[in-house]
Amino acid sequence: SIIYHIKVVFMKIDLTKMIYNGLYKLPIKGKIVIPNDMLINTSIKEITPVKVEGFIYNNDSDYELDIRINGVMTLLCARTLKKVNRPFDIQIDEIIDENSDNSLEIIQNSLDIFPIVWQNILVDVPLRVLAPDAKEELTSGNGWRLITEDTNEEVIDPRLAKLKDYIKE
């Protein structure tokens, strides 16, 4: 069994060796540098080059992508707005069907898997992160206090307290 290492350029995988040599799988190994303009409408402020490792399998009418991606994304702390580094490690198992309209296109025997990688990174972004040195949440302050569902006391707004006199029970 001959294993070919494919060159990943902008995450375009050359499937020629797989198609013409009848290979069942090809290893994928490389790094993706995410351009800064891709981060504009996301909560990601910075991202390290994304390490990509795995295989692509040829299953007659479709391809199966089995890769692991990892790196570090920088997000802002929800309390302090400090930068927080959050590592990610994502396993991607994707079927790419040549006959389906929903899949990625295979153009001139090459497949660009960047959209799959980018989509999985965006799905992994948490709604909020906290810096390790962020102080505990404040539960009260000048003229206010936090009321949760666990608080069993009935709180009446003093501005509306006089309305209680008009309600007859």
Side-chain angles (χ1 to χ4, degrees), residues 49-162:
V50 178
K51 183 179 168 188
V52 180
E53 276 191 64
F55 294 93
I56 187 163
Y57 299 92
N58 185 354
N59 295 329
D60 294 327
S61 65
D62 58 26
Y63 293 93
E64 182 180 346
L65 187 64
D66 181 16
I67 59 174
R68 168 164 259 135
I69 61 173
N70 53 51
V72 178
M73 64 178 79
T74 303
L75 307 165
L76 293 181
C77 173
R79 287 193 199 133
T80 63
L81 295 179
K82 291 180 181 178
K83 289 184 176 182
V84 178
N85 290 332
R86 182 184 181 275
F88 61 91
D89 188 7
I90 306 167
Q91 179 67 38
I92 301 173
D93 295 314
E94 185 89 22
I95 302 266
I96 300 153
D97 186 1
E98 293 183 72
N99 301 324
S100 172
D101 293 336
N102 298 335
S103 68
L104 301 173
E105 289 186 45
I106 298 174
I107 300 171
Q108 296 178 349
N109 294 333
S110 68
L111 172 67
D112 186 6
I113 62 169
F114 179 79
I116 293 173
V117 171
W118 181 238
Q119 177 183 4
N120 278 274
I121 291 171
L122 290 177
V123 168
D124 196 56
V125 174
L127 293 177
R128 74 179 215 169
V129 293
L130 296 175
D133 61 343
K135 294 181 182 176
E136 290 297 317
E137 271 187 69
L138 293 175
T139 56
S140 64
N142 187 10
W144 68 273
R145 68 187 171 108
L146 178 66
I147 299 173
T148 65
E149 290 179 357
D150 298 334
T151 308
N152 289 331
E153 62 186 72
E154 187 176 325
V155 179
I156 298 174
D157 186 341
R159 297 170 293 181
L160 302 175
K162 289 189 178 188

Side-chain angles (χ1 to χ4, degrees), residues 10-11 30-36 38 47-51 114:
F10 302 110
M11 288 317 325
K31 287 191 177 188
I32 308 171
V33 176
I34 309 274
N36 286 336
M38 296 287 291
I47 191 165
T48 61
V50 178
K51 183 179 168 188
F114 179 79

